Amino acid sequence: MQLIQPFGCLIAVERETFAVIAFSENAPEMLELTSLAVPSIEQQEILSIGTDGRAIFHPRSATALQRAAAVDDVSLLNPILVRGKNSSKPFYAVLHRNDAGLMIELEPVQPSDTPVTAAGALKSYKLAAKAISRLQSLPSGNISLLYDVIVREVKELTGYDRVMACKFHEDEHLEVVSECQRSDLKSFLGLHYPATDIPQASRFLLLKNKVRMICDTSAKPVRIIQDESRLPQPLSLCRSTLRACHGQYLQSMGAIASLVLSVVLNGEEEQQSGSKLWGLVVCQHGSPKFLSFPLRYACELLMQVFAVQLSKEVELAAQIKEKHVLKIQTVLCDMLLRDAPVGIFSQSPNVMDLVKCDGAALYYQEQCWRLGITPTEEHIKDLCKWLVGFHGGTSGMITDSLSEAGFPGASFLGDDVCGMAAIRITSKDFILWFRSHDADEGGSGSSRLRSPPFLKAFLEVNKKRSSPWEDVEMNAIHSLQLIVRNSLKEEAEGEGGSLISQGAGELRTVAIELMRLIETAAAPVVAVDSSGKVNGWNVKAEELTGISMEKAIGAPLVNFVEEDSVHVVRKMLSWALQDKEERNVEVKLKNFKSTENAGPIILRVNVCCAHDRQGNVIGICLVAQDITEEKLILDKYARIQGDYISVNRHPNTLIPPIFIANESGICVEWNAPMEKLTGLKRKDAVDKILAGEVFTVKSVGCRVKDCDTLTRLRIVFNGLMAGRDDSEKLQFGFFDANGGCVEVLLSASKRVNADGKVNGVVCFLHTASSKLQRALLLQSVSREEECKKRMAYVRREVRNPFQGLVFLHSLMEATNLTEKQTRVLKSAALCMEQLQKIIDEVDLESIEQCYMEMSDDKFDFVESLEAIVSQGKPESIFNKVPLLLEAPLEACHMKLHGDNLRFQQTLSDFLVNTLHFTPPCEGPVLLRITPRIERIAMSLQIAKFEFRIIHPAPGIPDALIREMFQHRREPSREGLSLYISQKLVKIMGGTVQYLREATTSSFIIILEFPVAEI
């Protein structure tokens, strides 16, 4: 039996017919489908198995669901705002597809919420915008800070008592890595959950459903009723937001409500091979708590940004690991040239630089050398005896738990020594590395949590375990073992043990491998003898300089060095012969390639000295890193930056106010004119989030006029950062330090790096002089007031004769009129109603932003069509262009639901503009109507209309067509008319196209209306 949480209801329908195949028991009550009157014999249950699911919704909502069902990825449309048929109560419909059909989950819109419309979606994004900006502005290389910020932002966004960031480890157990909780709650930081707490099936569901909310663990779940004949198996709820769960585990942690957010790295859930559930952000609350869908959607957006930032950190860690591998190779080469084994403990670098560890020890010839945190000398001797006695047939041992490995003295070592890596260098001598335990005892103590017994046992086991040894570390340790064995070959041969015969082949292999490593290393490696002549020149050195190994060997190294680096190289070699190894020395080599304008090769060199048995330096190895490209870019940047700073910060009045943001939205430049204009000092602007901390709606920073100004600034930034080619211009208003309003034109352009990648936005402010600005402001205010007065006057004066027309119309209706006269009078009435609506509703912004509310009245299609044609007749007669109407007979008897007056306004505008631009005495102009009736439920039909206004070529000028789709600051009269009409069609759920053909051109308008009756 499938169960859901009671804060919403669920309906499952077939994909094609929308027939109900399952629904939750609370659906009829929540949708108010249960009749309050006494049922009659004929009355049937409104919601049952087999009912058409569209019939229980308002016609416009049913149409929206029908359209959504036809989309391939229906989840992209979530949520869909719908209303029930029997009530006007709004719901968020969240749609999912599964094998059974289409699943519709309905959540009531809370009274405190604004239902999500076209404008509401932007509001939902705004909820997370501040947190997203803060995440994107964090410096790289500090993953702990990233954890701390995400939990703090989620807590601020949602208001839960406790928010935890939890990371999955390689053994699939979960660790709390960061936490933000109410001050009176105990901390769970460092707590480790065993892998059995979140089994594989639960992880699969967390990948499918990335936001999981439990409102009240004590609430009784709701049963799902399903058609057993069509659904032999229980309905799959893997993507459901309402799916119920067992609350005992949550209650054991002292929580009643929770929100779990999945953090998924490397791809989308459809590409399972590339997806990885990195961890979870877990929110808990001590009392029932519900989050609306827009807020949950904001959390999901925030998790996506967090995953991107986290991926960058993981990628950075991988790069660091690659550099560490190169460092290991360098250390190996260095150790190969030293006196082993004591030298690798007494000199720098030492064995602790080879791998990550807390301590290391050498047990050689019954003596002990220790570095870092290690067991005592007696315990090290016991360890070596144990290795000889119980692991004598092996070359070493690696473990993350000495206790589990069976070492008898593990309990005496304490928490500082848990893991160990040991290599045998002779039959009785060893090199050992040690690691402490990986768990944070302070965060995982059972006193902090009413933990079940298995969790306490898990914590106790993990307390005795270190972090695991990685493959690259084990390979480095094994390579060192072979190197040290080779250096101790004579001693090992004297012992005559079987160990030598076992390792002889390995020694030869490692020698060959090390030579191959040096030859094929990604870094240039050069060997020099004591006289300064080259005796080693690997492939990378040959590739960079263009000098082959044959030409390099035997020649003095200074022959290949640029003149300004000769002194540096001679000094470096002189120091090396005195056994003083330098690090990070910058050297320029000559470039012998045939490339035109080839510059020098710039290397960063580390020196390693080779010694004989007496400790004398007999050779020098130079391991380098090619930094040519980096150096050239830095030099170029330094020159450009110097020029830029000198220009940008010059107090010359000809330099405009400039500010710059980097790719994270952080202000990196705020020049002197900008300081003067805003009153905000450079030190108070740089290194802060530009849209949110520098430009704000609060009293700090530079206060902008309103929230919309800040939102438009963010939209401009995001568009340019996304790679938009053209620059952006924006009317921008803010208040200066004295509280005066400053109106400017902001020009924003993207900033790119040497690779062409967008790395920021550069903004210029265009301002007028203070006197001119005041004059323009006064002029603007005066013009605006004058415009308002004129508009009010026009509306008042138009209303008087308009009311007279209405009165005359009422008198005419009272007379005996023929059928034709009645129809003409009805057309006149509709035109007057259309005019009244245009006069009363002049909110152009709501039309431009596509959130104007449309009425949903019942109207006669033919009557509206006659009103549209009557508005085109005067232009047709004046321009001597015939106007023809072509409509099928079935369209003449339809009554529809919709906003008939806005429908008349849009279609008449397209028609009149077409007649206006048709050359006189040419034509005709044909309005062709093609209807198509589609039944989407037993009692619900949709009429889909194609209105095609066909006229002779060339038709409407190209400039006006561009104005129809792209708003201009100063549009033409006809362009503004077409633009508003196009927006109104979009609000009504339709589309507009303009088609040019060889002899004709056409407006094509597609609209849909629910059918009231035919």
Side-chain angles (χ1 to χ4, degrees):
M1 180 175 64
Q2 297 290 73
L3 301 172
I4 65 169
Q5 299 178 69
F7 69 83
C9 63
L10 180 146
I11 300 172
V13 299
E14 288 186 338
R15 294 182 186 178
E16 302 298 331
T17 64
F18 259 74
V20 175
I21 55 177
F23 62 93
S24 60
E25 286 185 329
N26 64 341
E29 179 182 356
M30 191 168 283
L31 293 168
E32 298 184 12
L33 298 177
T34 306
S35 176
L36 299 178
V38 178
S40 63
I41 297 175
E42 294 81 10
Q43 186 177 8
Q44 295 182 349
E45 190 178 2
I46 295 177
L47 179 59
S48 61
I49 300 298
T51 301
D52 191 321
R54 292 163 294 197
I56 64 179
F57 296 101
H58 186 276
R60 189 173 292 277
S61 299
T63 305
L65 292 173
Q66 178 77 16
R67 288 175 182 164
V71 177
D72 291 336
D73 188 357
V74 69
S75 64
L76 296 175
L77 304 177
N78 290 332
I80 300 170
L81 186 66
V82 298
R83 297 179 187 271
K85 186 176 183 179
N86 290 358
S87 72
S88 59
K89 186 165 67 173
F91 292 87
Y92 290 132
V94 183
L95 276 58
H96 312 284
R97 281 204 178 93
N98 57 22
D99 294 337
L102 185 66
M103 193 159 62
I104 306 171
E105 296 181 278
L106 299 168
E107 298 179 18
V109 177
Q110 299 301 303
S112 58
D113 288 344
T114 302
V116 171
T117 61
L122 179 61
K123 179 187 174 183
S124 183
Y125 169 77
K126 287 180 183 178
L127 291 171
K130 182 179 178 182
I132 289 171
S133 296
R134 287 180 179 171
L135 273 183
Q136 292 176 333
S137 66
L138 292 178
S140 60
N142 190 344
I143 200 166
S144 297
L145 178 61
L146 183 63
Y147 297 156
D148 293 342
V149 170
I150 190 63
V151 295
R152 188 168 64 247
E153 294 298 334
V154 171
K155 187 176 188 303
E156 183 178 334
L157 189 62
T158 61
Y160 278 87
D161 291 341
R162 183 194 306 276
V163 179
M164 300 175 286
C166 306
K167 172 187 175 183
F168 284 111
H169 285 264
E170 290 185 3
D171 62 355
E172 297 189 340
H173 88 271
L174 196 66
E175 179 190 359
V176 180
V177 295
S178 186
E179 179 186 41
C180 183
Q181 83 277 15
R182 210 175 61 206
S183 58
D184 60 326
L185 296 178
K186 293 182 178 179
S187 175
F188 289 175
L189 184 62
L191 186 77
H192 291 252
Y193 293 89
T196 52
D197 276 20
I198 306 179
Q200 197 62 41
S202 297
R203 293 167 195 259
F204 174 77
L205 292 176
L206 288 168
L207 273 173
K208 290 285 184 183
N209 192 359
K210 296 183 178 65
V211 179
R212 178 89 172 100
M213 180 176 69
I214 300 173
C215 293
D216 186 359
T217 56
S218 61
K220 184 179 178 181
V222 179
R223 187 171 66 94
I224 293 178
I225 302 169
Q226 64 182 54
D227 186 351
E228 301 295 341
S229 62
R230 301 185 193 181
L231 298 173
Q233 300 295 327
L235 187 69
S236 173
L237 299 179
C238 68
R239 293 180 182 269
S240 171
T241 61
L242 298 173
R243 179 169 54 88
C245 72
H246 299 291
Q248 293 89 339
Y249 187 86
L250 197 59
Q251 290 172 354
S252 73
M253 302 181 71
I256 300 299
S258 76
L259 179 72
V260 178
L261 309 171
S262 302
V263 183
V264 180
L265 303 185
N266 303 329
E268 303 296 333
E269 63 178 81
E270 291 82 0
Q271 302 169 338
Q272 289 296 324
S273 60
S275 296
K276 177 185 177 183
L277 184 62
W278 175 88
L280 307 170
V281 172
V282 180
C283 311
Q284 295 178 349
H285 207 68
S287 58
K289 186 173 179 63
F290 172 79
L291 285 190
S292 64
F293 189 92
L295 198 51
R296 302 204 307 271
Y297 182 66
C299 290
E300 186 172 356
L301 283 175
L302 184 57
M303 285 305 103
Q304 292 173 6
V305 176
F306 174 59
V308 170
Q309 297 297 106
L310 192 59
S311 294
K312 291 179 181 178
E313 293 297 331
V314 171
E315 189 176 331
L316 180 62
Q319 293 173 0
I320 292 173
K321 186 177 288 186
E322 288 179 8
K323 290 182 179 179
H324 183 65
V325 170
L326 182 60
K327 178 183 177 182
I328 288 174
Q329 292 175 344
T330 306
V331 171
L332 284 172
C333 293
D334 188 43
M335 290 179 177
L336 182 64
L337 299 173
R338 293 186 184 190
D339 182 23
V342 178
I344 58 177
F345 274 79
S346 60
Q347 302 180 40
S348 179
N350 55 50
V351 288
M352 288 188 66
D353 296 308
L354 190 64
V355 295
K356 181 183 176 183
C357 63
D358 297 302
L362 168 66
Y363 183 72
Y364 180 62
Q365 295 180 352
E366 298 185 355
Q367 294 185 42
C368 192
W369 289 263
R370 295 186 298 161
L371 296 171
I373 300 172
T374 67
T376 64
E377 190 169 334
E378 290 301 319
H379 284 144
I380 289 174
K381 289 179 180 179
D382 292 341
L383 267 171
C384 294
K385 289 177 182 178
W386 176 70
L387 289 170
V388 171
F390 290 89
H391 300 275
T394 64
S395 60
M397 179 185 181
I398 294 180
T399 179
D400 56 7
S401 175
L402 279 169
S403 178
E404 291 184 9
F407 176 55
S411 59
F412 300 106
L413 299 180
D415 296 337
D416 290 336
V417 178
C418 293
M420 181 190 72
I423 56 172
R424 189 193 302 266
I425 56 175
T426 70
S427 59
K428 297 180 180 180
D429 299 324
F430 294 88
I431 297 177
L432 310 99
W433 290 263
F434 300 102
R435 282 182 177 173
S436 59
H437 73 95
D438 196 33
D440 182 359
E441 183 180 0
S444 57
S446 59
S447 63
R448 295 195 173 193
L449 182 65
R450 293 172 298 195
S451 308
F454 64 84
L455 180 54
K456 293 180 181 178
F458 168 80
L459 296 174
E460 189 62 33
V461 169
N462 276 270
K463 190 176 177 182
K464 300 175 182 178
R465 190 187 300 276
S466 73
S467 57
W469 300 88
E470 298 181 7
D471 291 341
V472 65
E473 294 173 325
M474 290 188 285
N475 292 336
I477 288 171
H478 181 64
S479 298
L480 178 64
Q481 179 185 31
L482 299 178
I483 294 168
V484 175
R485 279 187 179 184
N486 186 44
S487 65
L488 301 175
K489 182 176 179 181
E490 292 180 2
E491 180 181 345
E493 285 177 350
E495 295 180 7
S498 60
L499 186 63
I500 293 304
S501 59
Q502 177 187 345
E506 293 180 349
L507 288 171
R508 285 192 296 271
T509 302
V510 76
I512 295 170
E513 181 65 21
L514 284 170
M515 290 303 296
R516 187 193 66 80
L517 178 68
I518 293 172
E519 284 298 318
T520 62
V525 180
V526 177
V528 182
D529 61 21
S530 58
S531 64
K533 293 183 178 179
V534 176
N535 58 11
W537 191 267
N538 77 340
V539 174
K540 188 65 177 179
E542 181 177 332
E543 176 188 323
L544 289 175
T545 61
I547 294 292
S548 65
M549 183 178 65
E550 292 77 11
K551 292 182 179 179
I553 297 296
L557 178 62
V558 292
N559 288 1
F560 309 120
V561 176
E562 288 283 340
E563 186 176 349
D564 55 351
S565 288
V566 169
H567 175 72
V568 175
V569 170
R570 284 177 174 162
K571 181 182 176 183
M572 178 179 66
L573 295 179
S574 174
W575 280 101
L577 291 174
Q578 299 175 45
D579 206 7
K580 296 177 181 178
E581 299 175 342
E582 290 191 284
R583 293 286 179 269
N584 299 323
V585 181
E586 189 175 303
V587 174
K588 294 180 182 178
L589 297 185
K590 295 177 181 177
N591 193 338
F592 293 89
K593 294 179 182 177
S594 57
T595 310
E596 188 177 352
N597 298 325
I601 309 300
I602 306 173
L603 303 177
R604 186 179 290 130
V605 178
N606 288 336
V607 180
C608 301
C609 300
H611 304 81
D612 59 15
R613 290 287 183 178
Q614 288 74 37
N616 300 317
V617 177
I618 57 173
I620 303 165
C621 182
L622 308 178
V623 181
Q625 178 186 0
D626 180 18
I627 59 169
T628 308
E629 197 71 26
E630 175 188 341
K631 192 71 175 174
L632 291 175
I633 291 173
L634 287 175
D635 288 347
K636 182 179 179 181
Y637 172 75
R639 289 194 301 272
I640 294 174
Q641 187 182 41
D643 294 342
Y644 167 76
I645 291 173
S646 62
V647 171
N648 192 35
R649 298 185 186 172
H650 197 279
N652 193 318
T653 55
L654 295 177
I655 297 173
I658 300 171
F659 60 90
I660 300 176
N662 63 14
E663 65 270 21
S664 300
I666 301 296
C667 179
V668 295
E669 183 52 63
W670 188 268
N671 73 344
M674 199 70 197
E675 286 183 330
K676 184 176 180 181
L677 181 65
T678 62
L680 186 66
K681 297 297 182 182
R682 186 176 186 276
K683 63 182 180 63
D684 297 326
V686 172
D687 294 332
K688 292 184 179 179
I689 300 171
L690 196 60
E693 290 184 335
V694 178
F695 291 111
T696 70
V697 292
K698 302 177 183 178
S699 57
V700 296
C702 183
R703 184 163 62 94
V704 297
K705 286 176 61 178
D706 48 38
C707 291
D708 288 341
T709 301
L710 198 61
T711 301
R712 286 195 292 268
L713 181 64
R714 285 193 176 111
I715 291 171
V716 168
F717 278 13
N718 291 336
L720 292 170
M721 287 302 303
R724 188 180 297 161
D725 290 335
D726 52 344
S727 59
E728 293 279 353
K729 286 185 171 56
L730 173 69
Q731 284 290 342
F732 193 66
F734 58 88
F735 297 96
D736 60 22
N738 298 320
C741 183
V742 181
E743 293 285 348
V744 296
L745 179 65
L746 185 148
S747 296
S749 304
K750 61 186 179 183
R751 188 176 68 156
V752 297
N753 59 16
D755 298 326
K757 182 181 177 181
V758 180
N759 65 354
V761 177
V762 181
C763 299
F764 298 84
L765 298 186
H766 304 276
T767 61
S769 67
S770 56
K771 290 183 179 179
L772 179 58
Q773 201 168 24
R774 282 194 295 271
L776 289 173
L777 180 60
L778 290 172
Q779 185 180 356
S780 174
V781 171
S782 175
R783 191 186 300 117
E784 188 175 341
E785 290 298 323
E786 184 66 25
C787 184
K788 286 181 179 179
K789 289 178 182 178
R790 291 190 180 192
M791 179 62 71
Y793 170 77
V794 170
R795 291 173 68 185
R796 184 175 62 252
E797 293 303 313
V798 167
R799 189 171 280 109
N800 293 333
F802 181 80
Q803 294 300 328
L805 289 173
V806 172
F807 177 72
L808 291 174
H809 181 270
S810 64
L811 291 178
M812 293 177 67
E813 280 185 324
T815 62
N816 293 324
L817 300 174
T818 65
E819 182 180 350
K820 184 176 181 181
Q821 289 172 331
T822 303
R823 288 176 61 185
V824 170
L825 196 62
K826 181 62 179 177
S827 296
L830 287 173
C831 289
M832 287 190 292
E833 288 178 24
Q834 178 184 330
L835 177 60
Q836 179 74 52
K837 189 158 192 172
I838 294 171
I839 292 172
D840 291 341
E841 298 181 12
V842 292
D843 184 8
L844 292 183
E845 184 179 358
S846 65
I847 299 176
E848 290 184 78
Q849 299 298 326
C850 293
Y851 61 84
M852 169 175 274
E853 289 292 332
M854 292 287 181
S855 61
D856 193 20
D857 303 320
K858 182 178 176 181
F859 69 95
D860 189 305
F861 177 71
V862 170
E863 290 178 353
S864 292
L865 194 60
E866 289 177 345
I868 292 166
V869 172
S870 68
Q871 294 178 59
K873 282 294 185 181
E875 190 72 30
S876 169
I877 295 170
F878 177 80
N879 218 17
K880 298 180 182 180
V881 175
L883 174 58
L884 305 180
L885 175 64
E886 182 182 302
L889 186 61
E890 61 265 24
C892 300
H893 303 288
M894 289 187 187
K895 287 185 172 54
L896 308 172
H897 282 290
D899 195 327
N900 63 313
L901 300 180
R902 291 298 184 186
F903 165 59
Q904 290 172 197
Q905 177 186 345
T906 55
L907 205 59
S908 61
D909 272 343
F910 288 123
L911 184 61
V912 170
N913 275 289
T914 302
L915 289 163
H916 178 73
F917 286 99
T918 300
C921 303
E922 292 190 17
V925 170
L926 173 63
L927 173 57
R928 178 183 293 160
I929 303 170
T930 307
R932 181 164 60 89
I933 306 299
E934 182 177 326
R935 183 179 295 277
I936 64 172
M938 292 296 295
S939 59
L940 181 61
Q941 294 178 322
I942 295 294
K944 297 186 176 182
F945 291 95
E946 179 189 275
F947 301 93
R948 192 178 285 256
I949 305 175
I950 306 170
H951 50 283
I956 308 295
D958 287 337
L960 286 184
I961 298 300
R962 284 194 296 271
E963 285 187 46
M964 180 171 70
F965 293 104
Q966 298 175 2
H967 181 55
R968 289 175 51 189
R969 287 184 53 78
E970 296 182 1
S972 62
R973 184 186 65 184
E974 295 86 358
L976 180 61
S977 170
L978 291 173
Y979 176 73
I980 295 298
S981 298
Q982 177 264 140
K983 287 291 184 180
L984 287 171
V985 170
K986 188 175 181 180
I987 296 171
M988 289 189 284
T991 61
V992 180
Q993 300 177 46
Y994 191 75
L995 177 66
R996 293 191 192 275
E997 297 178 291
T999 58
T1000 61
S1001 298
S1002 306
F1003 277 109
I1004 305 172
I1005 302 101
I1006 307 294
L1007 286 170
E1008 296 180 3
F1009 298 99
V1011 177
E1013 57 181 86
I1014 298 180

